[in-house]
Amino acid sequence: MAEAKDKAARPVKMADALTASICPATQEMIERAQQLEIETVFDRAVTMKPCAIGLQGTCCKNCAMGPCRLPLPKGGIDGEDTRKGLCGATANTIAARNFARMVAAGAAAHSDHGRSVAEVFLSVARKETEDYKIKDPGKLLAIAPHFGVDVTLEVDGETKDRDLDEIALEVAEKAIAEWGKPEGELRYLKRAPQPLYERWKKLGVLPRNIDREVVDIMHRTHMGVDQDYKNITKQCTRASLADGWGGAMIATDLQDVMFGTPSPLQSEANMGIMKEDHVNIIIHGHEPVLSEMIVASAQSKEMIDYAKEKGAKGIQLGGICCTGNEILQRHGVPPAGTFLQQELAIITGACDAMVVDVQCVFQNLANVAKCFHTKLITTHPMAKMEQDNVLHIEFDEHHAMEDAKRIIKMAIDNFTNRGAEVVIPRHKNTQIAGFGVESIKYHLGGTFRGDYYTLNDNIINGRIRGIAGVVGCNNARTKHNDGHITLIKELIKNDVIVLTTGCSAIACGTHGLLTPETASVYCGPGLAEVCETVGIPPVLHLGSCVDNSRILLAATEVVKAGGLGNDICDLPAAGSAPEWMSEKAIAIGQYFVSSGVYTVFGYHMPLEGAPVFKDHLYKELETIYGGKWDCEPDPIKHAHKMIAHIDKKRKELGIDKARERQLMSMEDRQQLEA
Ligand code: BF8
């Protein structure tokens, strides 16, 4: 323990728990960490200042003549901007290149996740694995035509259903080809509203294949290649579309096919889901390929009996980050926390194992785990840790269940090694999660007349003012969960229905915004009325970050249902990531903007050092794609920027008067009729 404390060396300054987070469980665990002299991200955020020039986006380290640093002069630019790097790169070129590299990294992360899922699906289709199956054949049949795969065939002039195994194999092969096919364009692009697809085509931004668009960015942002910020931004669009309408969308679809399409279910959220008398296993990361097996294994009689043999009452699984969302939406496994709570789940002293795969995993977990009995297990060949207390159990889909059992057994064996002091914060909330394009349709009209028109109708008549997608991370530079919750409460108060994913969705569950009862407490009268009638929460949890593809498709369904224009950019809708931190968030933002959505980020954007490039993103893009970027750190102002945009769109659609309608009582109406 003494050595462990040295490694997790305590910073001189420490975070103030109350200003670091609005979540009481988080505050409690930050204080406990400080009492135990264990450093967390919250403390590091107060001791380490971000680089001021990096913050402006104008530090270029793309060659060894640099880093060239081009801060904006204090008084701004007066006259010609003469700043340049050694090679002559302008602030615009540097900021655009840095931005593009974030898009590339984000698109690569989502899409490589998609590739792994597609590879597992190919193994399923080839019958090379027993552990995974096709759980939702209906979804397979629904996506097959988008890959150009027939689901029926003609036999002697008669139309017959095609063999499901044959369809699966063809879909798997066509899906895998999307990453590296030598010619053509991504197949899913045609799922977008037709005017949007035509616009992309005319602008020449249709992605060719997923990998190529990422490689293209890395090439063009190499020293001495693309030195026109507008042309660099154009490639950002191409690569981001390869993510949102490509890799991420394929990931979502094939996960649904193999693990089941989510439908609404009840669960809980926050660290209070951990149980002192159970073996607690926290699953953290992004790819559900492993976590699906862990859930199945943890529910087996064999493992539960083994846990009981060791003195535990059972096995409690909990999620962190998007893996948490994946197992929540399909199995009801409760998330233990968001991105910023990962170290804190171990600080409880009750985490017997934390299993991590890829993305958003802190290396400091190893230092924190060293202070407790917690086994920290990495599972992905691409994501190991240098610290010697970290175990690596490489996961392979060909013996997936075996790997999962080994991990769970290790956690159970570790239960008896717990130290005396276990402190689990009591805070947790009930939530309804598991919404998706299909279930929204069902909720709005049942199986008989399921349709998005009910939603459109309520938008047109003004009960619902508009739609917001609020997604993304936490960021230790901002108050944990405050941006998400303050913003979302302001949106629903103003009758804007919210679709949420990622850590934003976990934050909503944690703070009790994901129940139908939320409507009567926080919503404006119109939205409350609709939610109460239909029985849905005003904030709908649509899954993990790759599931932002569900938001794109939900928006497409709204366009198709009619009455609100012909394209996504016509809709009274806006997007937001109030506490973003990850490169994936930038890729997501860019594909939403390029799909016609006004997208506001919180905290700050690394663009201030290059005002001309910033204007391109914040103003000019709207004239090209119908969507544009914006940034507003204050969550209330942030909400009102989105609402102002929604109102602008309502006006353009000619439905702005609907919101000013007179609400009549039954009595008034009877008088009028008489
Ligand atoms: O992919 S929201 S902190 S967990 S990056 Fe990471 Fe951000 Fe959370 Fe999911 Ni998305």
Side-chain angles (χ1 to χ4, degrees), residues 110 286 321-322 339 359-360 472-474 502-504 545 581-582 584:
H110 283 146
H286 283 77
C321 285
C322 284
F339 170 71
Q359 302 166 24
C360 305
C473 325
N474 292 138
C503 286
S504 183
C545 280
M581 65 85 207
S582 135
K584 289 180 285 174

Side-chain angles (χ1 to χ4, degrees), residues 110 284-286 320-323 325 338-340 342 359-361 471-474 501-504 506 544-546 548 579-585 588:
H110 283 146
H284 172 20
H286 283 77
I320 297 267
C321 285
C322 284
T323 284
N325 287 322
T338 61
F339 170 71
L340 279 184
Q342 54 187 288
Q359 302 166 24
C360 305
V361 176
V471 307
C473 325
N474 292 138
T501 61
C503 286
S504 183
I506 302 175
S544 65
C545 280
V546 295
N548 282 319
E579 299 179 37
W580 81 280
M581 65 85 207
S582 135
E583 290 161 319
K584 289 180 285 174
I588 293 166

Side-chain angles (χ1 to χ4, degrees), residues 149-351:
V149 176
D150 292 332
V151 295
T152 55
L153 75 177
E154 295 287 317
V155 182
D156 301 331
E158 246 186 89
T159 306
K160 298 222 159 131
D161 289 341
R162 231 182 128 197
D163 178 63
L164 201 69
D165 288 348
E166 255 179 57
I167 296 173
L169 190 59
E170 213 181 314
V171 166
E173 283 166 352
K174 293 255 173 79
I176 293 265
E178 293 296 88
W179 273 266
K181 60 189 182 189
E183 51 192 23
E185 67 197 40
L186 290 191
R187 291 174 180 273
Y188 269 11
L189 299 167
K190 289 207 171 117
R191 297 178 77 172
Q194 209 191 335
L196 181 54
Y197 172 83
E198 295 300 338
R199 179 182 301 131
W200 292 333
K201 192 171 175 182
K202 202 166 134 216
L203 291 165
V205 294
L206 295 173
R208 297 153 288 188
N209 71 52
I210 298 164
D211 287 347
R212 180 169 181 177
E213 303 311 348
V214 174
V215 170
D216 182 314
I217 285 188
M218 296 315 287
H219 177 187
R220 94 172 49 214
T221 57
H222 181 278
M223 192 267 155
V225 186
D226 200 350
Q227 292 160 146
D228 170 3
Y229 64 92
K230 291 187 184 178
N231 204 38
I232 295 171
T233 310
K234 187 173 168 183
Q235 179 56 23
C236 289
T237 288
R238 224 185 258 120
S240 71
L241 295 178
D243 173 4
W245 295 88
M249 196 173 275
I250 297 174
T252 297
D253 279 349
L254 295 182
Q255 285 169 186
D256 284 357
V257 170
M258 286 191 288
F259 313 137
T261 302
S263 59
L265 44 72
Q266 186 175 325
S267 186
E268 295 176 320
N270 210 352
M271 280 184 281
I273 61 101
M274 295 173 78
K275 294 191 181 125
E276 188 162 357
D277 52 9
H278 279 54
V279 175
N280 291 296
I281 305 175
I282 301 293
I283 316 172
H284 172 20
H286 283 77
E287 293 183 7
V289 170
L290 163 72
S291 52
E292 277 293 314
M293 287 301 117
I294 294 203
V295 173
S297 176
Q299 288 168 347
S300 71
K301 186 168 179 315
E302 180 194 351
M303 286 298 143
I304 294 169
D305 287 348
Y306 187 60
K308 286 183 179 161
E309 251 175 59
K310 295 284 172 178
K313 284 201 173 139
I315 302 169
Q316 177 64 51
L317 297 179
I320 297 267
C321 285
C322 284
T323 284
N325 287 322
E326 299 286 359
I327 52 181
L328 164 69
Q329 64 181 339
R330 297 195 180 88
H331 304 286
V333 172
T338 61
F339 170 71
L340 279 184
Q341 290 169 287
Q342 54 187 288
E343 293 162 307
L344 306 180
I346 300 178
I347 305 278
T348 59
C351 176

